[in-house]
């Protein structure tokens, strides 16, 4: 057993490819998701067509640019040229202020302001129009306090992520994806490699029990995946100020549980694939895509069609993401997610039992 | 007669519609080198995988040292040393690390059985730190043999150990096997090289999933029914074509630059053949009588098999 584990470590450390996947990827992913892939609105280029050119329309324009969400895109002189602007990609939204803005404001008429957005990127379009109309109504309210109809203003407060940082959403997702990837894919590949290179034949004709082979394969990856999880947490804490409001110890314990689950899935995959290629494709399609798409990491589960919601119930990452978010953001303890934890434990037991049972004691 | 070590009866195995083994029976005595001689695809590897408990036979039974290959596979795996046809060590581990690993999984230490592998391992010991993937073919085989022996197996099963190995290393390898035999290990070896048959105590000639003949190499050669000549000329192919037209001939097979021709004893002598060749305008040739070898027997048996 000891020899087996030593051998596995040697395999990993001597293969540059697996070293890169193991240690390069977590860092690259955290930084990528944290910096580049963000759905916050910042410095979006917009254009203003001001047909009034009076004191108020200028002030409103100023206010838009001062918000920090928008910067001045290319000047679009006429309404007829808006589409061309979108097509050239010089602006994302055009604010058209109709003629007589100030006078209509003064008489209490509805001032004509139109927002035209490039919705080829729907998320951004809906976000920036929301922000812009917020600024505009804010401006008009500021002009006539107490005037007109009583305005109901609800003041939203975003709990657990007050500034709506997307990093808060991505970090739990990345931890999940990476643990899944490293644990499941790497083990399934490393077992499939023994089959492909014929060394499995020799291992089988030895007194090693399937449990011993599986345990020997899995142990190094438990350790390495754990180091990975810690790396991601440390990185997100120092680079993105991602807090861990709950117990770090609990978070790590839950991570180990999830690592074990992912590893048992990896072994299961390797029992049905005979080459490294198959093992990799299977891990990719069977694990990675569902992890990203069906776990609630990017797309909210509540908005999915019923069928997909049911499928998401059997996705281990779905439950783990809930746990990670609870601990990191809400700071809650095990009492609030013992059900999720229990589900993960049950899944691990089932997968481990299945993979040890399915692990062939013979060839073919 | 010595005690039986390995025993197979009616072993049959098919992959889908292809029958790899058709009711193969044999027995190997304790402490002998037993060779399964046959070309690629004859069923040698399948047979060895049945014996090493890696595959289950469709029918028939086999036992090694009294242990059934199906029921007692766990105990059997303790006493087997197996070297698969492909080089099956870890290419990214060094020579030393490979040996240590295999000692480890059999729960022995290298020093326990070092005497068994000493004269093999010493030849590769200077490269102990080198990665196994960077060894030459001959050295790889020595390392693989060392790893298969480190737990002092009672039966050693070698699947084409000398395929892809140079002639010198091949001879060295066989010298090692003969030395190992003296320590009482039963050795089963599969090989496509007919010239290695002579180095075995007994052989089984195997083709198309059946054993055509079993016995000591001398016994098998004895059964060869024809009188044999070998003949050589400048144009071997032309010679073969002409020889095959000679009516009294039983066989004409190409063996490198020679053609071996067989006739029923006393039916034909050298002058008859010379006369026939002269008739066909071949004047320059070397012709001499010869003793049959294993390969002649193999060819003969193969023809018999395909005609029935």
């Amino acid at each position: 057993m000891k020899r087996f584990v030593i051998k596995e470590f040697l395999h990993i450390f001597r293969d540059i490819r697996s070293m890169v996947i193991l240690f390069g990827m977590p860092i690259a992913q955290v930084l990528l998701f944290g910096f580049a892939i963000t759905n916050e609105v910042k410095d979006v280029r917009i254009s203003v067509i001001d047909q009034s050119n009076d004191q108020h329309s200028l002030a409103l324009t100023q206010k838009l640019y001062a918000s920090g969400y928008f910067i001045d895109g290319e000047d679009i002189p006429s309404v007829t040229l808006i589409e061309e602007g979108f097509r050239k990609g010089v602006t994302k939204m055009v604010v058209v202020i109709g003629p007589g803005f100030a006078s209509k404001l003064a008489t209490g008429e509805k001032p004509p302001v139109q927002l035209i957005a490039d919705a080829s990127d729907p998320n951004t379009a809906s976000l920036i129009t929301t922000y812009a109309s917020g600024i505009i109504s804010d401006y008009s309210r500021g002009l006539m306090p107490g005037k007109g109809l009583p305005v109901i203003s609800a003041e939203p407060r975003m709990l657990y992520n007050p500034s709506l940082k997307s990093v808060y959403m991505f970090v739990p997702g990345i931890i999940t994806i990476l643990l899944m990837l490293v644990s499941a894919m790497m083990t399934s590949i490393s077992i499939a490699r023994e089959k492909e290179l014929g060394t499995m034949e020799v291992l089988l004709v030895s007194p090693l029990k399937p449990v011993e082979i599986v345990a020997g394969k899995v142990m190094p990856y438990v350790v390495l995946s754990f180091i990975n999880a810690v790396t991601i947490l440390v990185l997100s804490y120092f680079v993105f100020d991602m807090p861990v409001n709950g117990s770090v110890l609990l978070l790590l314990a839950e991570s180990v549980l999830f690592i074990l689950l992912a590893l048992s899935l990896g072994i299961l995959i390797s029992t049905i694939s005979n080459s490294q290629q198959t093992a990799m494709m299977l891990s990719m399609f069977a694990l990675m895509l569902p992890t990203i798409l069906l776990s609630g990491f990017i797309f909210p589960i509540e908005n999915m069609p019923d069928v997909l919601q049911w499928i998401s119930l059997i996705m281990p990452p779905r439950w783990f993401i809930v746990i990670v978010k609870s601990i990191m953001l809400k700071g809650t303890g095990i009492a609030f997610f013992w059900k999720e934890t229990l589900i993960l434990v049950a899944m691990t037991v089932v997968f481990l039992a299945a993979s040890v049972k399915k692990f062939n004691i013979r060839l073919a | 007669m010595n005690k039986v070590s390995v025993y197979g009866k009616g072993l049959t195995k098919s992959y889908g519609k292809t029958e790899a083994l058709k009711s193969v029976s044999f027995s190997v005595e304790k402490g002998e080198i037993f060779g399964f001689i046959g070309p690629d695809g004859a069923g040698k590897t399948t047979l060895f995988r049945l014996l090493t408990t890696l595959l289950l036979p469709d029918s028939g039974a086999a036992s090694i040292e009294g242990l059934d290959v199906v029921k007692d596979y766990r105990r059997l795996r303790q006493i087997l040393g197996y070297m698969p046809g492909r080089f099956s060590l870890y290419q990214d581990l060094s020579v030393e690390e490979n040996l240590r690993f295999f000692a480890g999984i059999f729960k022995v230490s290298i020093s326990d059985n070092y005497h068994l592998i000493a004269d093999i391992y010493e030849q590769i010991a200077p490269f102990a730190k080198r990665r196994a993937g960077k060894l030459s073919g001959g050295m790889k085989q020595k390392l693989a043999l060392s790893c298969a022996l480190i737990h002092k197996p009672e039966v050693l099963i070698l699947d084409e150990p000398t395929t892809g190995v140079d002639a010198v290393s091949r001879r060295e390898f066989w010298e090692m096997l003969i030395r190992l035999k003296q320590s009482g290990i039963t050795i089963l070896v599969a090989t496509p090289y007919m010239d290695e048959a002579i180095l075995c105590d007994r052989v089984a000639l195997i083709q198309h999933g059946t054993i055509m003949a079993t016995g000591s190499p001398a016994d098998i050669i004895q059964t060869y029914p024809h009188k044999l000549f070998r003949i050589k000329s400048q144009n071997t192919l032309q010679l073969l074509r002409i020889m095959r037209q000679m009516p009294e001939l039983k066989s004409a097979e190409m063996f490198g630059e020679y053609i071996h021709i067989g006739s029923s004893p006393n039916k034909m002598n050298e002058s008859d053949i010379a006369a026939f060749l002269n008739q066909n305008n071949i004047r320059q040739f070397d012709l001499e009588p010869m003793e049959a070898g294993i390969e002649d027997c193999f060819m003969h048996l193969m023809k018999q098999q395909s005609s029935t």
Side-chain angles (χ1 to χ4, degrees):
Chain A
M1 261 311 275
K2 196 185 93 202
R3 283 275 149 227
F4 206 111
V5 175
I6 295 174
K7 170 200 124 209
E8 281 309 313
F9 271 115
L10 289 175
H11 282 323
I12 297 165
F13 291 140
R14 287 188 184 166
D15 183 23
I16 294 174
R17 255 189 324 175
S18 40
M19 284 300 277
V20 169
I21 294 184
L22 267 174
F23 295 107
M25 200 147 71
I27 297 173
Q29 289 240 13
V30 172
L31 296 181
L32 255 179
F33 274 106
F35 281 124
I37 304 168
T38 161
N39 46 21
E40 291 160 37
V41 171
K42 213 179 115 196
D43 292 348
V44 177
R45 275 185 297 183
I46 62 165
S47 310
V48 177
I49 301 177
D50 189 351
Q51 294 167 337
S52 325
N53 237 329
D54 52 39
Q55 162 211 350
H56 282 298
S57 72
L58 285 175
L60 179 61
T61 311
Q62 284 303 317
K63 201 172 160 73
L64 281 172
Y65 288 137
S67 69
Y69 300 130
F70 307 115
I71 53 167
D72 200 354
E74 204 165 285
D75 210 28
I76 291 176
S78 147
V79 182
T80 51
L81 295 173
I82 291 176
E83 267 204 76
E84 201 190 318
F86 285 152
R87 264 187 248 121
K88 277 197 277 180
V90 292
T91 180
K92 280 280 172 203
M93 179 175 69
V94 179
V95 182
V96 186
I97 303 176
F101 186 70
S103 57
K104 280 186 180 151
L105 266 180
T107 56
E109 248 181 284
K110 215 173 152 215
V113 179
Q114 196 183 18
L115 300 176
I116 303 168
D118 172 6
S120 57
D121 174 2
N123 280 334
T124 313
S126 87
L127 270 174
I128 55 178
T129 48
T130 313
Y131 281 124
S133 33
I135 294 168
I136 294 165
S137 63
D138 206 41
Y139 180 79
S140 66
R141 251 202 315 276
L143 279 181
M144 19 180 198
K147 243 184 168 186
L149 294 165
V151 183
I152 300 172
S153 102
E155 262 188 48
R157 247 196 88 207
M158 301 297 177
L159 282 184
Y160 311 124
N161 187 0
S163 49
L164 293 178
K165 282 193 196 165
S166 51
V167 156
Y168 284 20
M169 175 183 134
F170 282 123
V171 167
I174 299 170
I175 294 181
T176 314
I177 289 188
L178 281 174
L179 292 186
M180 200 71 171
L181 185 81
V182 169
S183 314
M185 195 157 103
M186 300 291 278
T187 32
S188 67
I189 289 178
S190 93
I191 294 182
R193 185 170 61 178
E194 303 252 3
K195 288 192 194 174
E196 198 177 306
L197 298 180
T199 45
M200 191 54 98
E201 233 175 296
V202 189
L203 290 186
L204 286 176
V205 190
S206 78
L208 284 179
K209 294 193 191 82
V211 178
E212 290 176 298
I213 297 182
V214 166
K217 278 273 162 202
V218 155
M219 221 126 55
Y221 289 103
V222 172
V223 175
L224 295 174
S225 305
F226 186 74
I227 295 174
N228 255 328
V230 174
T231 314
I232 299 170
L233 288 178
V234 168
L235 254 177
S236 49
Y237 180 79
F238 284 108
V239 182
F240 301 111
D241 300 323
M242 172 93 182
V244 180
N245 292 327
S247 150
V248 177
L249 216 63
L250 183 61
L251 181 59
L252 294 180
E254 294 277 358
S255 303
V256 171
L257 173 63
F258 186 67
I259 291 170
L260 286 176
L261 173 56
L263 289 172
S264 52
L265 267 174
I267 300 163
L268 201 58
I269 287 177
S270 70
T271 57
I272 49 174
S273 41
N274 282 318
S275 70
Q276 300 182 64
Q277 195 97 41
T278 327
M280 194 157 100
M281 291 310 260
L282 264 176
S283 327
M284 275 296 206
F285 287 114
L287 298 180
M288 289 304 296
L289 290 179
T291 303
I292 296 173
L293 300 178
L294 290 177
S295 64
F297 164 35
I298 293 177
F299 306 112
I301 293 169
E302 294 76 17
N303 299 352
M304 292 176 189
D306 284 350
V307 182
L308 290 186
Q309 288 201 31
W310 296 328
I311 296 176
S312 82
L313 288 178
I314 55 164
M315 296 293 154
R318 171 189 174 154
W319 309 106
F320 184 62
I321 285 183
V322 172
I323 295 172
V324 176
K325 281 186 177 166
S326 306
I327 300 178
M328 291 187 82
L329 301 177
K330 299 186 190 166
T332 49
I334 186 91
F336 292 86
F337 44 79
W338 60 270
K339 246 193 287 179
E340 283 81 0
T341 311
L342 212 61
I343 291 173
L344 290 186
V345 171
M347 284 178 167
T348 313
V349 171
V350 169
F351 287 138
L352 261 186
S355 48
V356 170
K357 201 165 160 32
K358 269 215 81 185
F359 192 87
N360 251 323
I361 52 165
R362 301 174 204 280
L363 288 179
Chain B
M1 191 170 148
N2 275 326
K3 215 180 129 218
V4 168
S5 168
V6 185
Y7 169 81
K9 192 167 192 301
L11 287 171
T12 303
K13 178 78 188 175
S14 312
Y15 302 106
K17 277 189 181 152
T18 345
E19 268 193 303
L21 284 181
K22 299 167 196 161
S23 190
V24 165
S25 303
F26 63 92
S27 81
V28 180
E29 287 166 20
K30 211 170 164 59
E32 72 174 342
I33 299 184
F34 192 94
F36 287 91
I37 318 285
D40 291 347
K44 304 187 298 290
T45 298
T46 303
L47 176 61
F48 275 16
R49 285 184 171 165
L50 292 181
L51 293 178
T52 50
T53 75
L54 284 170
L55 289 176
L56 295 172
D58 295 340
S59 63
S63 66
I64 297 178
E65 297 291 324
L67 299 170
D68 187 88
V69 295
V70 178
K71 285 202 302 273
D72 307 318
Y73 76 93
R74 193 163 289 286
R75 267 157 68 207
L76 191 52
R77 287 176 181 186
Q78 312 253 6
I79 62 158
L80 283 184
Y82 173 47
M83 217 173 116
R86 265 190 310 167
F87 178 66
S88 299
L89 300 179
Y90 296 100
Q91 315 245 5
D92 53 343
L93 298 188
S94 72
V95 168
E96 212 173 13
E97 286 160 349
N98 266 300
L99 190 63
R100 219 178 283 140
F101 171 69
F102 283 100
I105 61 173
F106 281 95
K107 302 184 172 69
V108 296
S109 77
I110 295 178
S111 53
D112 288 347
N113 297 314
Y114 189 73
H115 62 278
L116 209 54
I117 61 161
D119 56 330
I120 307 166
Y121 189 69
E122 264 154 30
Q123 299 177 41
I124 47 174
F127 311 101
K129 301 270 182 251
R130 190 181 289 189
R131 303 264 167 97
K134 298 227 162 75
L135 293 175
S136 72
M139 288 203 283
K140 277 183 184 168
Q141 294 311 83
K142 284 171 196 162
L143 176 58
L145 185 60
S146 303
C147 291
L149 280 170
I150 192 62
H151 61 292
K152 197 175 193 300
E154 288 177 45
V155 177
L156 188 59
I157 297 185
L158 311 170
D159 192 2
E160 302 204 4
T162 53
T163 299
V165 173
D166 66 89
V168 176
S169 299
R170 258 172 71 189
R171 201 170 47 238
E172 280 177 6
F173 195 85
W174 275 93
E175 282 164 9
M176 288 186 268
L177 292 189
I178 290 162
R179 269 199 299 276
L180 277 175
K181 187 187 122 172
Q182 279 147 22
S183 53
I185 298 176
T186 308
I187 300 172
L188 270 66
V189 54
T191 176
Y193 299 117
M194 304 283 168
D195 56 332
E196 291 180 346
I198 217 88
L199 301 164
C200 302
D201 295 314
R202 290 194 308 139
V203 295
L205 302 186
I206 180 167
Q207 166 74 339
H208 296 316
T210 46
I211 290 181
M212 302 186 296
T214 319
S216 70
D219 286 346
I220 288 181
I221 289 169
Q222 283 254 306
T223 64
Y224 187 73
H226 307 314
K227 187 169 163 49
L228 206 61
F229 301 91
R230 69 176 185 186
I231 177 170
K232 182 170 87 165
S233 86
Q234 271 158 343
N235 188 337
T236 315
L237 283 174
Q238 180 202 31
L239 184 67
L240 184 66
R241 207 175 51 242
I242 291 170
M243 283 315 301
R244 282 196 168 150
Q245 289 160 2
M246 195 171 170
E248 297 89 351
L249 216 62
K250 287 286 182 192
S251 73
E253 303 287 349
M254 216 163 91
F255 282 75
E257 55 180 346
Y258 283 100
I259 290 170
H260 290 191
I261 51 180
S263 71
S264 304
N266 308 321
K267 267 252 168 107
M268 207 162 74
N269 57 31
E270 280 153 282
S271 50
D272 295 332
I273 299 169
F276 178 77
L277 285 172
N278 279 326
Q279 267 173 36
N280 286 282
N281 293 322
I282 294 179
R283 320 242 172 247
Q284 291 221 317
F285 54 83
D286 288 339
L287 175 68
E288 53 187 351
M290 66 172 290
E291 293 293 318
I294 287 286
E295 200 164 356
D296 298 297
C297 299
F298 196 93
M299 292 298 206
H300 171 69
L301 290 166
M302 220 170 85
K303 256 198 218 155
Q304 261 189 345
Q305 189 190 40
S306 57
S307 64
T308 53

